[in-house]
Amino acid sequence: MPRIYNPEMECMDRESMRKLQSERLVATVKRCYETVPFYKRKMDELGVKPEDIRGVEDITKLPFTTKYDLRDEYPFGLQAVPMEKIRRIHASSGTTGKPVVATYTEADLDMWAECVARVMSVGDVGPGDVVQVSYGYGLFTGGLGAHSGAEKLGAIQLPTSAGNSKKQLMLMKDFGTTAIACTPSYALRLAEVMTEMGMSARDLKLRVGFFGAEPWTWGIRREIEKRFGIKAIDIYGLTEMCGPGVGGECEYQDGTHVWEDMFLPEIIDPDTLKPVHQGEEGELVFTSLCKEGMPMIRYRTRDLTHLIYEKCLCGRTAVRLGKILGRSDDMLIIRGVNVFPSQIETVLTEFPVFTPQYFITVDRKDNEDTFDLDVELRNEYFSPNPAKQMPYIKPLYDRIVSMVGIKPNIHILPPGTIERSSGKAKHVNDKRNLKDWK
Ligand code: ADP
Ligand code: ZN
């Protein structure tokens, strides 16, 4: 059994955990009200005073915080401490408008490192382990976040950052990398380059990988585990809470344990904003319980998932997130049907003749939505002759129609044609411009 980094917190009985969360929530709310004008204003608008919050059961009295609020308060409006206390600033990629900013005190950085250390302990990472951090270093939280987790565990940090795949693999082999951290899409890319270089998993000492920052399916997991001969562990996080490490899977790979002593999760119905029944799917909302620099009250992540409360076989009591279906704003509505790219990925990876790469293009012609899906056949199966492709297209087409309910226009491309990513993969081009950014 791998070591549990902080058994007291990760395995605390539920009642004591609730008590601890309640204490921390009360303190967080009080501090936010007193030091952050934004939270005071929002609470005053709802007529809620800090004294009204006596424990976790009162959470629903509190206002939500959204990414629009973060944008309005850019850059430091939500900060609860003076600038002198801040040690680091990160920002998310923020594809539209201003980036989301996160500021960290010394204690915040330490807490974040512990979060990642808890996840990496699942892979028994420790002294002597070479942890190759192939998440991008920079404003993105992935690189430095994974780095500090490896540091906390006394492992050897190999800060390769993302990109330059051939060199990554050379170093992986020469330095005897035992653990890697990167996005799942970049892991797939590395697997391809490994084959191109005539290398195989046997040339490597790689044992475990920590993959996250984007949704990925079981199909992708199987592919990564097979190609590298490793265990692929899901690590979840978001800049608004700290970055990677808000939660992670254990060795049973059956849901992502959330570090509940630091982050209080809720699932709400994104339309009514009311809590869903226990175990139901909805939007994940987090309240930070320890953050000093930029505490967050009821932050709406837009991630869709459900919570699993049963005790896990690993011994942790920490609640688990089900696989993240995607973000609510990644959901496509095509001909009135809700479609998540992750659903297409699930179907595609059931067919071993295809590579796990795909790209969806949605457009509108003559008032009707079009849905084009680019996929690649693996080398052994590819032929430029459309007649030879037909037998592969048909089963995929049928499966998508039955699973998702809409008819795709499937295009088979030669292997290696769809653009690979060294960070978060882009799977969709919605040309309809239906998104409203408020
Ligand atoms: P950005 O918003 O620019 O992508 P972040 O790096 O903060 O910046 O992204 C956090 C988001 O990434 C999460 O809200 C979630 O949608 C996604 N994410 C992170 N880790 C995972 C994971 N393991 N599985 C699925 N989605 C993830
Ligand atoms: Zn577990």
Side-chain angles (χ1 to χ4, degrees):
M1 284 285 263
R3 190 166 71 97
I4 295 184
Y5 185 81
N6 187 339
E8 189 195 348
M9 292 300 160
E10 296 174 56
C11 307
M12 189 180 284
D13 67 89
R14 302 253 8 125
E15 204 178 312
S16 310
M17 177 54 76
R18 208 175 152 86
K19 209 163 145 255
L20 178 70
Q21 288 180 320
S22 290
E23 281 162 17
R24 292 184 171 177
L25 177 68
V26 170
T28 297
V29 171
K30 184 163 181 289
R31 207 156 51 82
C32 284
Y33 191 84
E34 285 166 1
T35 54
V36 184
F38 164 84
Y39 286 123
K40 179 171 187 313
R41 197 175 66 241
K42 291 270 261 193
M43 284 174 62
D44 286 346
E45 274 166 24
L46 289 181
V48 195
K49 291 269 167 284
E51 310 80 81
D52 299 330
I53 308 302
R54 274 164 308 214
V56 170
E57 62 283 2
D58 293 321
I59 187 107
T60 52
K61 295 180 183 161
L62 290 165
F64 291 105
T65 308
T66 67
K67 66 169 178 168
Y68 302 108
D69 295 325
L70 266 55
R71 204 170 293 169
D72 293 346
E73 296 295 323
Y74 174 88
F76 304 131
L78 291 182
Q79 200 168 285
V81 297
M83 236 28 213
E84 292 70 32
K85 287 245 153 67
I86 298 300
R87 291 287 172 279
R88 198 185 304 158
I89 305 175
H90 277 283
S92 83
S93 41
T95 40
T96 46
K98 301 273 193 195
V100 165
V101 178
T103 60
Y104 305 72
T105 64
E106 191 90 45
D108 291 339
L109 289 173
D110 193 55
M111 175 200 92
W112 182 19
E114 167 159 353
C115 287
V116 179
R118 289 187 194 178
V119 183
M120 287 189 172
S121 293
V122 167
D124 262 336
V125 170
D129 268 310
V130 178
V131 182
Q132 188 157 342
V133 180
S134 313
Y135 282 116
Y137 278 68
L139 285 176
F140 173 50
T141 53
L144 282 161
H147 183 104
S148 58
E151 187 171 38
K152 189 109 187 153
L153 291 169
I156 304 160
Q157 303 116 56
L158 180 56
T160 49
S161 197
N164 210 344
S165 307
K166 281 194 178 142
K167 189 167 173 196
Q168 297 259 2
L169 284 148
M170 182 185 86
L171 300 182
M172 199 182 286
K173 182 175 164 198
D174 296 346
F175 297 172
T177 298
T178 48
I180 185 169
C182 63
T183 61
S185 30
Y186 193 48
L188 287 178
R189 177 67 194 139
L190 288 172
E192 284 179 338
V193 176
M194 176 171 75
T195 310
E196 283 163 27
M197 289 167 75
M199 272 166 64
S200 82
R202 280 190 303 280
D203 299 315
L204 304 174
K205 289 201 182 135
L206 206 56
R207 183 180 79 231
V208 63
F210 304 96
F211 306 109
E214 62 183 0
W216 53 309
T217 56
W218 266 94
I220 301 288
R221 186 201 312 262
R222 278 190 295 269
E223 176 91 10
I224 295 173
E225 291 196 327
K226 193 175 91 203
R227 308 260 314 236
F228 282 112
I230 61 171
K231 190 142 189 158
I233 297 293
D234 195 350
I235 177 166
Y236 170 86
L238 64 163
T239 310
E240 294 84 339
M241 288 302 123
C242 58
V246 172
E249 280 181 335
C250 63
E251 62 275 24
Y252 291 96
Q253 298 173 309
D254 187 18
T256 298
H257 288 286
V258 172
W259 309 132
E260 282 183 281
D261 49 317
M262 305 192 205
F263 309 102
L264 175 65
E266 298 172 77
I267 304 280
I268 60 160
D269 177 326
D271 297 323
T272 65
L273 305 185
K274 297 262 182 288
V276 299
H277 292 119
Q278 217 185 54
E280 270 176 29
E281 184 100 12
E283 180 180 340
L284 179 61
V285 171
F286 275 120
T287 300
S288 70
L289 298 175
C290 298
K291 261 165 75 109
E292 291 183 341
M294 263 194 195
M296 285 284 151
I297 294 185
R298 301 194 88 195
Y299 182 69
R300 292 186 56 184
T301 65
R302 297 162 290 138
D303 290 329
L304 300 174
T305 183
H306 62 278
L307 291 177
I308 307 165
Y309 281 96
E310 285 99 74
K311 189 171 172 183
C312 184
L313 291 172
C314 69
R316 288 178 186 81
T317 49
V319 70
R320 282 169 286 157
L321 305 177
K323 263 271 179 227
I324 310 267
L325 185 58
R327 299 191 206 192
S328 49
D329 41 5
D330 286 343
M331 187 181 80
L332 293 160
I333 305 181
I334 308 174
R335 293 171 215 147
V337 178
N338 297 351
V339 184
F340 281 96
S342 62
Q343 292 173 298
I344 303 296
E345 185 175 299
T346 300
V347 175
L348 178 68
T349 53
E350 284 169 9
F351 294 85
V353 294
F354 294 104
T355 74
Q357 306 289 336
Y358 65 101
F359 195 81
I360 298 168
T361 308
V362 188
D363 205 346
R364 185 163 280 178
K365 291 208 179 88
D366 303 327
N367 283 325
E368 208 192 331
D369 292 336
T370 57
F371 170 32
D372 288 88
L373 175 64
D374 295 344
V375 293
E376 295 173 356
L377 279 170
R378 291 188 201 258
N379 248 325
E380 317 81 283
Y381 304 97
F382 180 74
S383 152
N385 178 353
K388 293 208 168 137
Q389 296 175 355
M390 234 15 233
Y392 299 120
I393 292 183
K394 186 74 173 78
L396 178 64
Y397 174 91
D398 288 345
R399 191 88 177 96
I400 290 176
V401 174
S402 78
M403 281 277 289
V404 189
I406 42 164
K407 297 176 181 169
N409 222 334
I410 298 177
H411 311 275
I412 292 193
L413 305 179
T417 326
I418 294 173
E419 199 183 324
R420 273 38 172 184
S421 160
S422 63
K424 297 181 188 236
K426 188 172 178 298
H427 292 295
V428 179
N429 182 7
D430 190 344
K431 295 178 166 172
R432 298 171 301 177
N433 270 329
L434 302 177
K435 292 252 160 79
D436 112 60
W437 288 104
K438 277 204 181 166

